[in-house]
Amino acid sequence: MAADRTGSTGFVHHACLYGSDAEFLAMAVPFVRDGLAAGEPVLAATTPANIELLREALGESAHHLDTAETAHFGRRPVDRVSAFLRYHERRARPGRRTRMIAEPVWAGRSARQTAEWKRMESGLNVLLAGLPVWMVCPYDTRVVPGDVAEAAVATHPVRLDGERQAPCASYTDPAAYAAAVEGPAASCAPPSAACMGPTDDAAVLRRLARERAAGAGLTGDRLALAELAAHEAAAYLLAPEGARVTLRAWEEPGAVVYELRRTERGDGRMRPGDGRGAVPDAAVPSFAGYRPPAPPGDAHGAEDGLWLARSLGDSLEVHARGPETVLTLRVAGPGDAERL
């Protein structure tokens, strides 16, 4: 396979749209063989069928390939990013790239989940930018929806067909892409929604979050985790000096929803706050909270709490609405049997 032609020593992100087993192998076999020959760690996170095809094609070389069933390699986008980082940290070799074939799972996802995964695919260009990682994301056009295939060439700078590399003409800046991609229409708070704020007191918001979750029927650990997720999201928004947050909370089938809306203080400025590593301005970065916290003993970043909120909740969406930033956090409701 020709080497990556970007000349980058950081993250390289390619899409591969394939419509047959032969097209998948035309990309995967040279990519893996060249990596292994160069002494690079290589991971294939793809479907069981593709793993079997790849192992058969590689022969004895397959013993040196790391594999993972993609359906279990990070259930949600926040988990997926953590899985990529863990693999790189554990297998990285000095002076070598880490190669990854990383096939997302699209079948059966809801509209909201699909939108979140599209944003994550775009966000990888920011989240992994400084790492010596070459990632190829295969999309099986036999099964992925048309809008997902279109998203592939908007979220990856380069397309890989076999060994041929070509720039994606529709590639979009990640921040612009994240702002443009919407899931289903955001839920409007019903008249029965509990409301508190605007306030700069995180403890007040936390009490309301707990009361609403308890009123929805959450108990024990699930109640405590819902409360903690909402608290961490609120604390993140309150970090800049002068920030105030309004919390609305309500129940949807299968979920408790928290809408946290941050407004600027009266003079329109937002400044770094109290040592939590506050966000320097009013806008929350589109991909904030996807990277896991630093190891114990390292300095903690501004986004550690938001990562916890993402990890404890079912989803967390970031929206900028004029001078406001809105986080919509969903946590599993009492009827979610998976959490029982």
Side-chain angles (χ1 to χ4, degrees):
M1 165 177 278
D4 157 50
R5 300 195 188 108
T6 65
S8 172
T9 57
F11 184 56
V12 176
H13 198 200
H14 291 178
C16 173
L17 279 68
Y18 69 97
S20 68
D21 294 350
E23 289 180 354
F24 172 80
L25 291 173
M27 173 278 295
V29 173
F31 181 79
V32 171
R33 278 184 175 159
D34 286 0
L36 295 177
E40 297 172 342
V42 185
L43 168 70
T46 182
T47 64
N50 281 346
I51 290 172
E52 184 174 325
L53 287 169
L54 188 52
R55 284 173 174 164
E56 290 175 354
L58 290 170
E60 288 297 313
S61 299
H63 291 289
H64 305 288
L65 172 66
D66 296 321
T67 61
E69 289 189 25
T70 193
H72 306 296
F73 192 71
R75 184 175 66 88
R76 299 169 305 155
V78 67
D79 305 322
R80 186 81 160 190
V81 173
S82 295
F84 290 144
L85 291 170
R86 281 196 306 270
Y87 179 79
H88 174 68
E89 289 165 3
R90 292 173 182 174
R91 299 285 280 121
R93 299 174 188 172
R96 298 285 190 273
R97 279 195 184 277
T98 301
R99 297 194 185 206
M100 302 183 195
I101 294 174
E103 183 155 15
V105 178
W106 300 100
R109 295 201 183 278
S110 69
R112 180 175 290 111
Q113 290 172 330
T114 297
E116 187 178 7
W117 275 80
K118 289 177 182 178
R119 286 191 292 266
M120 185 271 290
E121 279 278 63
S122 181
L124 291 174
N125 298 294
V126 175
L127 296 165
L128 306 185
L131 296 181
V133 171
W134 186 353
M135 181 182 292
V136 179
C137 299
Y139 287 67
D140 188 344
T141 57
R142 295 169 295 186
V143 295
V144 300
D147 65 297
V148 170
E150 291 176 5
V153 292
T155 57
H156 297 74
V158 175
R159 177 169 174 173
L160 188 61
D161 294 308
E163 299 184 64
R164 184 175 66 87
Q165 301 174 29
C168 292
S170 58
Y171 174 69
T172 304
D173 173 79
Y177 184 84
V181 173
E182 299 284 349
S187 299
C188 295
S192 59
C195 182
M196 176 61 67
T199 178
D200 59 3
D201 190 338
V204 170
L205 299 172
R206 181 169 185 154
R207 283 197 297 272
L208 176 61
R210 181 179 180 88
E211 290 169 2
R212 195 63 187 86
L218 294 182
T219 59
D221 290 345
R222 295 180 65 189
L223 173 59
L225 293 176
E227 174 190 357
L228 179 60
H231 169 77
E232 291 296 335
Y236 177 85
L237 289 179
L238 286 170
E241 182 182 341
R244 294 166 66 82
V245 170
T246 298
L247 170 64
R248 289 182 172 83
W250 65 94
E251 187 178 1
E252 291 181 350
V256 178
V257 184
Y258 298 111
E259 181 194 81
L260 300 106
R261 187 180 300 262
R262 182 173 74 186
T263 54
E264 300 182 28
R265 64 184 184 176
D267 62 11
R269 291 178 292 145
M270 301 293 279
R271 297 201 301 265
D274 59 3
R276 286 177 60 100
V279 185
D281 55 41
V284 175
S286 300
F287 310 111
Y290 275 104
R291 293 180 65 94
D298 289 0
H300 292 283
E303 298 180 11
D304 289 0
L306 200 61
W307 175 84
L308 185 58
R310 284 193 187 277
S311 299
L312 294 175
D314 275 0
S315 68
L316 190 150
E317 301 168 28
V318 178
H319 297 284
R321 299 175 181 172
E324 299 179 323
T325 296
V326 181
L327 302 184
T328 304
L329 171 67
R330 286 175 171 80
V331 299
D336 188 340
E338 184 179 346
R339 309 299 175 88
L340 295 177

